[in-house]
Amino acid sequence: MIDKTYQSSEVEGRIYAAWEAAGAFRAGRPERAKAAPYSIVIPPPNVTGSLHMGHALNNTLQDILVRFERMRGKDVLWQPGTDHAGIATQMVVERQLMERQQPGRRDMGREKFLERVWAWKAESGGIIINQLKRLGASCDWSRERFTMDEGLSKAVLKVFVELYRDGLIYKDKRLVNWDPKLLTAISDLEVQQVEVRGHLWHIRYPLEGVTFNAEDALTFIVVATTRPETMLGDVAIAVHPENDKLKHLIGKNVILPLVGRRIPIVGDDYADPEKGTGAVKITPAHDFNDFDVGKRHDLPLISVLNREGKLRLKTNQTFLDGVPPSTALDETLTLDAVDRFAARKKIVERLETEGFLDKIEPHIHMVPHGDRSNAVIEPFLTDQWYVDAKTLAQPAIAAVREGKTNFVPKNWEKTYFDWMENIQPWCISRQLWWGHQIPAWYGPENPSTYGTQLPFYEERFVALSEEEAIAQAKALYPEGTEISVASNEETYRAWQRSYVLGNNQKLSIKLRRDEDVLDTWFSSALWPFSTLGWPESTPEVNRFYPTSALVTGFDIIFFWVARMMMMGLHLMKEVPFKDVYIHRLVRDEKGAKMSKSKGNVVDPLGIIDEYGADALRFTLARGAAQGNDIRLSPQLVENNRNFATKLWNAARFVEFNGAARVAGFDPKSAKETLNRWIAHETAKASREITEAIEGYRFNDAAGAAYRFVWNVYCDWYVELSKPVLTGPDGAAKDETRAMAAWALDEILKLLHPFMPFITEELWDKTAETGPKREALLALSDWPALEGLDDAKAEAEIGWVIDLITAVRSVRSEMNITAAIPLVLVAASAESKQRAERWADFVKRLARVADISFADAAPAGSVQLLIRGEVATLPLKGVIDLDAERARLQKEMAKADADIKRVDAKLGNANFMANAPEEIVEQEQERREEAENRRAKIIEALERLKGAA
RNA sequence: GGGCGCUUAGCUCAGCGGUAGAGCACUUCCUUGACAUGGAAGGGGUCAGAGGUUCGAUCCCUCUAGCGCCCA
């Protein structure tokens, strides 16, 4: 028995447990060994994260695809897992330590700290997985993976070593985006440009060889900068070679204020003559553009900041080199160890008091910020590891061009190409501890070539293991050298000191391992194959790679999709996925982006608690039109919860009326027109939904399902079947019961990918009568309905629906509550038959007292036009004749307008000459129909005159 | 500055070269035994503006205005 109401909170947990117990989501079920594979890898959520609405959308869409294909009989793998989220997770744990006033990570050391992170992972790592289950996600949880798992770590190591060997990973000293708060490099994708109201400071740089006079513009050159503190690292001034006002200064020198360094004025077209003063200061160690200019002119790099963003001057040899002592310099040196922003203020003050400040303009500009720390990012000169993304990008670009991977919607291709074609080296090292430690070991420069001199060059050994690194070192250093690995940085330094001091005659060498870890996205880039067991040649790799589809948000096309493409193609020689479906954002009901700081975040679990997972899923699916953000409001979810209730009640009604599934029932065998009609409609809906899911048109699929269930099955089939179901027993009743149950079954299947819980529950409840169910709904066959189209049934039921609707309209408009007679005028034989067959139904649904036939319309009746024929409601005395006249005149006006419009077309020689034949025919039919309608209305108006 | 996209009913959004659609909201009516989380009926749109292509444009093209996102 189906309960009176559907309690999602009671049902969902139980149903999910049943799926898991049956292993319904497992890939590689034996009975599907010969089935085609279908695979999706989940975009791994952060292991310590929790489910937000973006996840809910993303995973709902994947689940729709996966459940759909599973029902289509494929061997489906939805590969779940989480990533370790290096920076975010490390931040959380460090903050925790701070809050608890425990020692920081440096104090406790790497090993201890990592223990803490693993403990934190153990504690909070399962949360999001369970939340995904509450959403109904049908992942194969037995295969859950984590980027820091042994297997995935092995994959990361192997890839690093291979790419290094191939020259696609290298170490380089370049400017990186440095986060002075987190003390790590980040990739340019992790930098957010934020518009900031700042200033443009115009500074006078005195020309060499003349006496500086703030009043005399011939004694200096003015440059504008947004970051005056970096002037301490200036090494040149650039002016455009064709800048007529300034080009005469090229080749001359200026004396850097506050420092006294002599720096050249160089000609470079980077200096835009239209912008600012036309001259720009060049600080190659603190600006990406300046770095390039510096390279072109062979300028030195003077870094004046330390890792924490404080000025580093006193012990900074490159800063002091070639600068004559002066009191100005001494005063500048007092800024040593001062934070960059405090230093900026002080420097501006000094420039002003000493006459070097020309003017200050307010200036709005973009300032880079770290996406995790929100600190202002410094371009910073360090050694980091890079991936040669440009080389890897080439096959990845080609694969999309050749259609091996398709973006849906297609226009995202352009975004992908734009980025890929202008791709920069990918900085993959992070100064963190939580992550995959880079498998590189360093030792002193080979003494056989450099004796025991100061080791300013380090030998580098990139290897899969410490043993391999030692073996490599053995091969490099002189025979008999003892080689060991320092357990930590400290012991290495201690050894290094003694080595440098020449106390090491025995040639005992220590190696140290690179302390840094890899960008989390490096491991995520391997996700489509590392999760399948690569580098082992597992059956899963062979069966499920390349994956079928990837479903993700546009915000990680660069971070993730592009990098998976590069890695997949390079390492597997095949694209990682055939289709990439890109969905958009879930916004709040006002259209604002959900964010913690705005406080407008809608918690999917709260929605699930209140309305059920199915309602949330259906809402998201209905809203997921390609290319559009989804505005989510509780109202919408409520509507879809109501839809679930509607379905529930329909099932209850059907059950209550003895509709039980009949073994071997073939819908094609139905005799009753109504039953043939619903079979026809079911097949139609099934086609629409199938095609829509195949095309990733989730909204169309959900919309078609909604309309079919509510506006076809419930509104008409159930209503029209009532007289039969509640009437006398017989073949028609038996058939209708069987058909009602059959169609409901098809509905459950068609809705299952969208609303898995309620459909599975009903599948179970309806199994109580009739033949035994062979499988859970999740594992049942998707409808494949052939040979059910029935135009005749469609025409007949359509006629009935039109008739009922028309009578209801008049009743409503005329405010008639009593049962009224219906007279069909000059009815065709077909209409007569239909009317007789459907009399009971029409009487019931339109509240008609009786149906009769006449050759002419009775006087004083209301006229209805049903598919070209006249039906009347003799309402003499009941109706307001004026109102009826007005109604008819309105219809008349419409008919006139229709005729006029069609005539305009048909009278146009060009239209007749150029329009396709079927369109012309259509127009002609339309005219005939309108003409007929008009004639009937005129007759009715005439009759009204007679009645008056 | 470059790129992508949007502008359709009061709201949120589908759609599309051949007479404008849905949901919600609104109005009126309905405690008929699946469902008031419901049923029935109804009002409401020169499809942002201006040009162009076409027999025909809400749809294709160009421009303008406004809004959004991404990249520099």
Side-chain angles (χ1 to χ4, degrees), chain A residues 189-241:
Chain A
L189 286 177
E190 291 158 279
V191 174
Q192 306 286 320
Q193 300 292 336
V194 179
E195 198 172 83
V196 167
R197 258 177 233 242
H199 301 275
L200 204 50
W201 285 274
H202 293 242
I203 308 171
R204 301 171 182 135
Y205 282 31
L207 290 167
E208 186 188 30
V210 294
T211 309
F212 172 68
N213 178 357
E215 308 293 312
D216 181 359
L218 292 176
T219 66
F220 56 82
I221 180 168
V222 178
V223 301
T225 178
T226 57
R227 307 177 60 205
E229 70 280 9
T230 64
M231 68 167 290
L232 303 181
D234 283 358
V235 297
I237 282 175
V239 301
H240 197 281

Short mmCIF file of all heavy atoms in Angstrom, two decimals, chain A residues 189-241:
data_model
loop_
_atom_site.label_atom_id
_atom_site.label_comp_id
_atom_site.label_asym_id
_atom_site.label_seq_id
_atom_site.Cartn_x
_atom_site.Cartn_y
_atom_site.Cartn_z
N LEU A 189 46.88 31.31 -12.36
CA LEU A 189 45.43 31.11 -12.26
C LEU A 189 44.90 31.34 -10.85
O LEU A 189 43.72 31.58 -10.67
CB LEU A 189 45.08 29.68 -12.68
CG LEU A 189 45.15 29.37 -14.17
CD1 LEU A 189 44.84 27.91 -14.41
CD2 LEU A 189 44.18 30.25 -14.94
N GLU A 190 45.80 31.22 -9.90
CA GLU A 190 45.36 31.40 -8.51
C GLU A 190 45.42 32.86 -8.08
O GLU A 190 45.21 33.18 -6.92
CB GLU A 190 46.20 30.53 -7.58
CG GLU A 190 45.93 29.05 -7.76
CD GLU A 190 47.07 28.18 -7.28
OE1 GLU A 190 48.06 28.02 -8.03
OE2 GLU A 190 46.98 27.67 -6.16
N VAL A 191 45.71 33.71 -9.04
CA VAL A 191 45.78 35.14 -8.75
C VAL A 191 44.51 35.80 -9.24
O VAL A 191 44.08 35.58 -10.37
CB VAL A 191 47.00 35.76 -9.47
CG1 VAL A 191 47.01 37.27 -9.29
CG2 VAL A 191 48.28 35.15 -8.95
N GLN A 192 43.88 36.58 -8.39
CA GLN A 192 42.70 37.33 -8.77
C GLN A 192 43.07 38.80 -8.92
O GLN A 192 43.64 39.37 -8.01
CB GLN A 192 41.62 37.23 -7.68
CG GLN A 192 41.27 35.83 -7.28
CD GLN A 192 40.43 35.15 -8.32
OE1 GLN A 192 39.54 35.75 -8.91
NE2 GLN A 192 40.71 33.88 -8.58
N GLN A 193 42.71 39.36 -10.07
CA GLN A 193 42.95 40.78 -10.24
C GLN A 193 41.79 41.54 -9.61
O GLN A 193 40.64 41.31 -9.96
CB GLN A 193 43.06 41.13 -11.72
CG GLN A 193 44.19 40.40 -12.45
CD GLN A 193 45.58 40.84 -12.01
OE1 GLN A 193 45.75 41.95 -11.51
NE2 GLN A 193 46.55 39.96 -12.20
N VAL A 194 42.12 42.40 -8.65
CA VAL A 194 41.06 43.14 -7.96
C VAL A 194 41.24 44.63 -8.23
O VAL A 194 42.34 45.16 -8.13
CB VAL A 194 41.12 42.89 -6.44
CG1 VAL A 194 40.03 43.67 -5.72
CG2 VAL A 194 40.99 41.40 -6.15
N GLU A 195 40.13 45.26 -8.59
CA GLU A 195 40.22 46.69 -8.86
C GLU A 195 40.37 47.45 -7.55
O GLU A 195 39.59 47.25 -6.62
CB GLU A 195 38.96 47.15 -9.58
CG GLU A 195 39.15 48.48 -10.27
CD GLU A 195 37.96 48.82 -11.15
OE1 GLU A 195 36.98 49.34 -10.60
OE2 GLU A 195 38.02 48.56 -12.36
N VAL A 196 41.38 48.28 -7.51
CA VAL A 196 41.70 48.97 -6.26
C VAL A 196 41.86 50.47 -6.56
O VAL A 196 42.39 50.86 -7.59
CB VAL A 196 43.02 48.42 -5.67
CG1 VAL A 196 43.55 49.33 -4.57
CG2 VAL A 196 42.82 47.01 -5.15
N ARG A 197 41.34 51.26 -5.65
CA ARG A 197 41.56 52.70 -5.76
C ARG A 197 42.92 53.02 -5.18
O ARG A 197 43.12 52.92 -3.96
CB ARG A 197 40.53 53.43 -4.90
CG ARG A 197 39.40 54.02 -5.64
CD ARG A 197 38.48 54.62 -4.62
NE ARG A 197 37.15 54.09 -4.85
CZ ARG A 197 36.13 54.87 -5.19
NH1 ARG A 197 36.29 56.16 -5.26
NH2 ARG A 197 34.95 54.36 -5.41
N GLY A 198 43.84 53.36 -6.04
CA GLY A 198 45.19 53.65 -5.56
C GLY A 198 45.62 55.03 -6.02
O GLY A 198 44.78 55.91 -6.24
N HIS A 199 46.91 55.19 -6.14
CA HIS A 199 47.45 56.49 -6.56
C HIS A 199 48.51 56.25 -7.61
O HIS A 199 49.10 55.19 -7.68
CB HIS A 199 48.06 57.24 -5.39
CG HIS A 199 47.09 57.49 -4.29
ND1 HIS A 199 46.24 58.56 -4.27
CD2 HIS A 199 46.81 56.79 -3.16
CE1 HIS A 199 45.49 58.52 -3.20
NE2 HIS A 199 45.82 57.44 -2.51
N LEU A 200 48.70 57.28 -8.38
CA LEU A 200 49.82 57.28 -9.30
C LEU A 200 50.76 58.37 -8.80
O LEU A 200 50.42 59.55 -8.82
CB LEU A 200 49.30 57.59 -10.71
CG LEU A 200 50.11 57.11 -11.90
CD1 LEU A 200 50.46 55.64 -11.79
CD2 LEU A 200 49.34 57.36 -13.19
N TRP A 201 51.91 57.92 -8.31
CA TRP A 201 52.88 58.88 -7.80
C TRP A 201 53.86 59.27 -8.90
O TRP A 201 54.46 58.38 -9.52
CB TRP A 201 53.65 58.28 -6.61
CG TRP A 201 52.85 58.23 -5.34
CD1 TRP A 201 52.71 59.21 -4.43
CD2 TRP A 201 52.08 57.11 -4.84
NE1 TRP A 201 51.91 58.80 -3.38
CE2 TRP A 201 51.51 57.52 -3.60
CE3 TRP A 201 51.81 55.82 -5.31
CZ2 TRP A 201 50.71 56.69 -2.84
CZ3 TRP A 201 51.01 55.00 -4.55
CH2 TRP A 201 50.46 55.42 -3.33
N HIS A 202 53.97 60.54 -9.16
CA HIS A 202 54.92 61.02 -10.17
C HIS A 202 56.20 61.44 -9.45
O HIS A 202 56.17 62.31 -8.59
CB HIS A 202 54.33 62.21 -10.93
CG HIS A 202 53.14 61.83 -11.76
ND1 HIS A 202 53.12 61.95 -13.12
CD2 HIS A 202 51.94 61.30 -11.42
CE1 HIS A 202 51.95 61.53 -13.59
NE2 HIS A 202 51.22 61.14 -12.56
N ILE A 203 57.30 60.80 -9.84
CA ILE A 203 58.56 61.02 -9.12
C ILE A 203 59.61 61.59 -10.07
O ILE A 203 59.74 61.17 -11.21
CB ILE A 203 59.09 59.70 -8.52
CG1 ILE A 203 57.98 59.02 -7.69
CG2 ILE A 203 60.32 59.94 -7.66
CD1 ILE A 203 58.34 57.61 -7.24
N ARG A 204 60.35 62.55 -9.54
CA ARG A 204 61.42 63.17 -10.35
C ARG A 204 62.72 62.40 -10.13
O ARG A 204 63.14 62.24 -8.97
CB ARG A 204 61.63 64.63 -9.93
CG ARG A 204 60.39 65.47 -10.08
CD ARG A 204 60.59 66.85 -9.45
NE ARG A 204 59.36 67.62 -9.56
CZ ARG A 204 58.83 68.33 -8.57
NH1 ARG A 204 59.43 68.39 -7.40
NH2 ARG A 204 57.71 69.00 -8.76
N TYR A 205 63.29 61.93 -11.18
CA TYR A 205 64.58 61.25 -11.09
C TYR A 205 65.63 62.20 -11.67
O TYR A 205 65.60 62.52 -12.86
CB TYR A 205 64.58 59.94 -11.90
CG TYR A 205 63.87 58.76 -11.22
CD1 TYR A 205 62.80 58.97 -10.35
CD2 TYR A 205 64.28 57.46 -11.45
CE1 TYR A 205 62.17 57.91 -9.74
CE2 TYR A 205 63.65 56.38 -10.85
CZ TYR A 205 62.59 56.61 -9.99
OH TYR A 205 61.95 55.56 -9.40
N PRO A 206 66.57 62.68 -10.83
CA PRO A 206 67.55 63.67 -11.29
C PRO A 206 68.45 63.09 -12.36
O PRO A 206 68.88 61.94 -12.26
CB PRO A 206 68.36 63.99 -10.03
CG PRO A 206 67.57 63.43 -8.90
CD PRO A 206 66.74 62.33 -9.43
N LEU A 207 68.71 63.90 -13.35
CA LEU A 207 69.64 63.47 -14.41
C LEU A 207 71.06 63.54 -13.88
O LEU A 207 71.42 64.43 -13.09
CB LEU A 207 69.49 64.39 -15.63
CG LEU A 207 68.16 64.22 -16.38
CD1 LEU A 207 67.98 65.37 -17.37
CD2 LEU A 207 68.09 62.88 -17.10
N GLU A 208 71.87 62.65 -14.35
CA GLU A 208 73.26 62.62 -13.92
C GLU A 208 74.00 63.83 -14.52
O GLU A 208 73.74 64.21 -15.66
CB GLU A 208 73.92 61.33 -14.42
CG GLU A 208 75.34 61.13 -13.90
CD GLU A 208 76.00 59.95 -14.58
OE1 GLU A 208 75.66 59.67 -15.75
OE2 GLU A 208 76.85 59.31 -13.96
N GLY A 209 74.85 64.39 -13.72
CA GLY A 209 75.73 65.44 -14.25
C GLY A 209 75.14 66.84 -14.19
O GLY A 209 75.79 67.79 -14.58
N VAL A 210 73.93 67.00 -13.77
CA VAL A 210 73.40 68.35 -13.57
C VAL A 210 72.91 68.46 -12.14
O VAL A 210 72.61 67.46 -11.49
CB VAL A 210 72.23 68.68 -14.54
CG1 VAL A 210 72.71 68.74 -15.98
CG2 VAL A 210 71.12 67.66 -14.39
N THR A 211 72.84 69.68 -11.68
CA THR A 211 72.39 69.86 -10.30
C THR A 211 70.88 69.82 -10.25
O THR A 211 70.20 70.54 -10.99
CB THR A 211 72.89 71.22 -9.75
OG1 THR A 211 74.28 71.28 -10.00
CG2 THR A 211 72.60 71.32 -8.25
N PHE A 212 70.38 68.93 -9.43
CA PHE A 212 68.94 68.76 -9.36
C PHE A 212 68.26 70.00 -8.82
O PHE A 212 68.66 70.55 -7.81
CB PHE A 212 68.60 67.55 -8.47
CG PHE A 212 67.12 67.42 -8.20
CD1 PHE A 212 66.25 67.08 -9.24
CD2 PHE A 212 66.60 67.62 -6.93
CE1 PHE A 212 64.90 66.94 -9.00
CE2 PHE A 212 65.24 67.48 -6.68
CZ PHE A 212 64.38 67.15 -7.72
N ASN A 213 67.27 70.45 -9.57
CA ASN A 213 66.49 71.59 -9.12
C ASN A 213 65.03 71.28 -9.41
O ASN A 213 64.63 71.14 -10.57
CB ASN A 213 66.93 72.85 -9.90
CG ASN A 213 66.08 74.05 -9.49
OD1 ASN A 213 65.14 73.92 -8.70
ND2 ASN A 213 66.41 75.21 -10.04
N ALA A 214 64.27 71.15 -8.34
CA ALA A 214 62.87 70.75 -8.48
C ALA A 214 62.09 71.71 -9.37
O ALA A 214 61.07 71.36 -9.93
CB ALA A 214 62.21 70.65 -7.10
N GLU A 215 62.59 72.96 -9.50
CA GLU A 215 61.90 73.96 -10.31
C GLU A 215 62.29 73.89 -11.78
O GLU A 215 61.63 74.47 -12.63
CB GLU A 215 62.22 75.37 -9.79
CG GLU A 215 61.99 75.58 -8.30
CD GLU A 215 60.52 75.50 -7.94
OE1 GLU A 215 59.71 76.15 -8.64
OE2 GLU A 215 60.18 74.77 -6.98
N ASP A 216 63.34 73.16 -12.04
CA ASP A 216 63.87 73.16 -13.41
C ASP A 216 63.71 71.79 -14.04
O ASP A 216 64.44 70.85 -13.75
CB ASP A 216 65.36 73.55 -13.36
CG ASP A 216 65.97 73.61 -14.75
OD1 ASP A 216 65.23 73.32 -15.74
OD2 ASP A 216 67.17 73.90 -14.85
N ALA A 217 62.75 71.70 -14.93
CA ALA A 217 62.40 70.42 -15.54
C ALA A 217 63.53 69.84 -16.38
O ALA A 217 63.50 68.67 -16.76
CB ALA A 217 61.15 70.57 -16.40
N LEU A 218 64.53 70.64 -16.68
CA LEU A 218 65.64 70.12 -17.48
C LEU A 218 66.60 69.29 -16.64
O LEU A 218 67.49 68.64 -17.17
CB LEU A 218 66.40 71.28 -18.14
CG LEU A 218 65.60 72.01 -19.23
CD1 LEU A 218 66.39 73.21 -19.75
CD2 LEU A 218 65.25 71.05 -20.37
N THR A 219 66.43 69.32 -15.32
CA THR A 219 67.37 68.63 -14.45
C THR A 219 66.88 67.26 -14.02
O THR A 219 67.53 66.56 -13.27
CB THR A 219 67.68 69.46 -13.19
OG1 THR A 219 66.48 69.55 -12.41
CG2 THR A 219 68.16 70.85 -13.55
N PHE A 220 65.71 66.88 -14.48
CA PHE A 220 65.20 65.57 -14.06
C PHE A 220 64.25 65.01 -15.10
O PHE A 220 63.86 65.69 -16.05
CB PHE A 220 64.50 65.68 -12.69
CG PHE A 220 63.38 66.69 -12.65
CD1 PHE A 220 62.11 66.35 -13.13
CD2 PHE A 220 63.61 67.99 -12.15
CE1 PHE A 220 61.10 67.29 -13.09
CE2 PHE A 220 62.58 68.92 -12.12
CZ PHE A 220 61.31 68.58 -12.61
N ILE A 221 63.88 63.76 -14.89
CA ILE A 221 62.86 63.12 -15.71
C ILE A 221 61.82 62.57 -14.75
O ILE A 221 62.16 62.08 -13.67
CB ILE A 221 63.47 62.04 -16.61
CG1 ILE A 221 62.40 61.38 -17.47
CG2 ILE A 221 64.22 60.97 -15.80
CD1 ILE A 221 62.98 60.51 -18.59
N VAL A 222 60.54 62.71 -15.14
CA VAL A 222 59.47 62.27 -14.23
C VAL A 222 58.93 60.91 -14.67
O VAL A 222 58.64 60.70 -15.84
CB VAL A 222 58.34 63.31 -14.19
CG1 VAL A 222 57.21 62.83 -13.28
CG2 VAL A 222 58.87 64.66 -13.71
N VAL A 223 58.85 60.02 -13.72
CA VAL A 223 58.20 58.74 -13.99
C VAL A 223 57.02 58.59 -13.03
O VAL A 223 57.02 59.15 -11.95
CB VAL A 223 59.16 57.54 -13.80
CG1 VAL A 223 60.36 57.66 -14.71
CG2 VAL A 223 59.58 57.40 -12.35
N ALA A 224 56.02 57.83 -13.47
CA ALA A 224 54.85 57.60 -12.62
C ALA A 224 54.82 56.15 -12.20
O ALA A 224 55.17 55.26 -12.97
CB ALA A 224 53.57 57.96 -13.37
N THR A 225 54.43 55.91 -10.96
CA THR A 225 54.36 54.54 -10.48
C THR A 225 53.21 54.38 -9.49
O THR A 225 52.84 55.33 -8.80
CB THR A 225 55.68 54.11 -9.79
OG1 THR A 225 55.53 52.77 -9.31
CG2 THR A 225 56.02 55.01 -8.62
N THR A 226 52.67 53.17 -9.43
CA THR A 226 51.65 52.87 -8.44
C THR A 226 52.27 52.25 -7.20
O THR A 226 51.61 52.05 -6.20
CB THR A 226 50.60 51.89 -9.02
OG1 THR A 226 51.28 50.71 -9.44
CG2 THR A 226 49.86 52.51 -10.18
N ARG A 227 53.54 51.86 -7.30
CA ARG A 227 54.19 51.17 -6.19
C ARG A 227 55.54 51.80 -5.90
O ARG A 227 56.59 51.24 -6.24
CB ARG A 227 54.37 49.69 -6.55
CG ARG A 227 53.09 49.03 -6.99
CD ARG A 227 53.34 47.59 -7.41
NE ARG A 227 53.88 46.84 -6.32
CZ ARG A 227 54.64 45.74 -6.46
NH1 ARG A 227 54.96 45.32 -7.66
NH2 ARG A 227 55.09 45.11 -5.41
N PRO A 228 55.54 52.97 -5.26
CA PRO A 228 56.80 53.71 -5.08
C PRO A 228 57.85 52.94 -4.30
O PRO A 228 59.05 53.15 -4.52
CB PRO A 228 56.36 54.97 -4.32
CG PRO A 228 54.95 54.78 -3.94
CD PRO A 228 54.38 53.68 -4.73
N GLU A 229 57.45 52.02 -3.42
CA GLU A 229 58.46 51.32 -2.62
C GLU A 229 59.39 50.47 -3.49
O GLU A 229 60.53 50.20 -3.10
CB GLU A 229 57.79 50.44 -1.56
CG GLU A 229 57.04 49.21 -2.07
CD GLU A 229 55.65 49.52 -2.63
OE1 GLU A 229 55.33 50.70 -2.76
OE2 GLU A 229 54.91 48.57 -2.94
N THR A 230 58.91 50.11 -4.68
CA THR A 230 59.78 49.27 -5.52
C THR A 230 60.88 50.08 -6.18
O THR A 230 61.79 49.51 -6.77
CB THR A 230 58.98 48.56 -6.63
OG1 THR A 230 58.44 49.54 -7.51
CG2 THR A 230 57.86 47.70 -6.05
N MET A 231 60.82 51.40 -6.05
CA MET A 231 61.85 52.23 -6.70
C MET A 231 63.25 51.88 -6.20
O MET A 231 64.23 52.06 -6.91
CB MET A 231 61.58 53.70 -6.48
CG MET A 231 61.75 54.12 -5.02
SD MET A 231 61.80 55.90 -4.80
CE MET A 231 63.36 56.31 -5.52
N LEU A 232 63.31 51.36 -5.00
CA LEU A 232 64.63 51.03 -4.45
C LEU A 232 65.30 49.96 -5.30
O LEU A 232 66.51 49.81 -5.28
CB LEU A 232 64.49 50.54 -3.00
CG LEU A 232 63.80 51.52 -2.04
CD1 LEU A 232 63.75 50.95 -0.63
CD2 LEU A 232 64.50 52.88 -2.04
N GLY A 233 64.48 49.22 -6.05
CA GLY A 233 65.04 48.18 -6.91
C GLY A 233 65.11 48.59 -8.36
O GLY A 233 65.35 47.75 -9.24
N ASP A 234 64.90 49.86 -8.63
CA ASP A 234 64.95 50.32 -10.02
C ASP A 234 66.34 50.14 -10.62
O ASP A 234 67.35 50.39 -9.95
CB ASP A 234 64.60 51.81 -10.10
CG ASP A 234 63.10 52.06 -9.96
OD1 ASP A 234 62.36 51.06 -9.85
OD2 ASP A 234 62.70 53.22 -9.96
N VAL A 235 66.37 49.73 -11.87
CA VAL A 235 67.66 49.58 -12.55
C VAL A 235 67.73 50.37 -13.84
O VAL A 235 68.76 50.39 -14.50
CB VAL A 235 67.98 48.10 -12.83
CG1 VAL A 235 68.10 47.32 -11.51
CG2 VAL A 235 66.91 47.48 -13.71
N ALA A 236 66.62 50.99 -14.23
CA ALA A 236 66.63 51.77 -15.45
C ALA A 236 65.37 52.60 -15.54
O ALA A 236 64.44 52.42 -14.76
CB ALA A 236 66.73 50.87 -16.69
N ILE A 237 65.37 53.48 -16.52
CA ILE A 237 64.14 54.17 -16.92
C ILE A 237 63.99 53.91 -18.40
O ILE A 237 64.98 53.93 -19.15
CB ILE A 237 64.24 55.68 -16.62
CG1 ILE A 237 64.02 55.89 -15.11
CG2 ILE A 237 63.23 56.48 -17.43
CD1 ILE A 237 64.21 57.31 -14.67
N ALA A 238 62.77 53.63 -18.81
CA ALA A 238 62.54 53.37 -20.24
C ALA A 238 61.68 54.47 -20.82
O ALA A 238 60.73 54.93 -20.20
CB ALA A 238 61.87 52.02 -20.42
N VAL A 239 62.06 54.89 -22.02
CA VAL A 239 61.20 55.78 -22.80
C VAL A 239 61.08 55.19 -24.19
O VAL A 239 61.95 54.45 -24.65
CB VAL A 239 61.74 57.23 -22.89
CG1 VAL A 239 61.91 57.84 -21.51
CG2 VAL A 239 63.05 57.27 -23.64
N HIS A 240 59.97 55.52 -24.83
CA HIS A 240 59.74 54.98 -26.17
C HIS A 240 60.76 55.59 -27.13
O HIS A 240 60.98 56.80 -27.11
CB HIS A 240 58.30 55.31 -26.61
CG HIS A 240 57.86 54.46 -27.76
ND1 HIS A 240 58.23 54.71 -29.04
CD2 HIS A 240 57.06 53.36 -27.79
CE1 HIS A 240 57.68 53.79 -29.84
NE2 HIS A 240 56.97 52.96 -29.09
N PRO A 241 61.36 54.78 -28.00
CA PRO A 241 62.40 55.31 -28.89
C PRO A 241 61.88 56.39 -29.83
O PRO A 241 62.65 57.18 -30.36
CB PRO A 241 62.85 54.09 -29.71
CG PRO A 241 62.23 52.90 -29.09
CD PRO A 241 61.15 53.34 -28.17
#
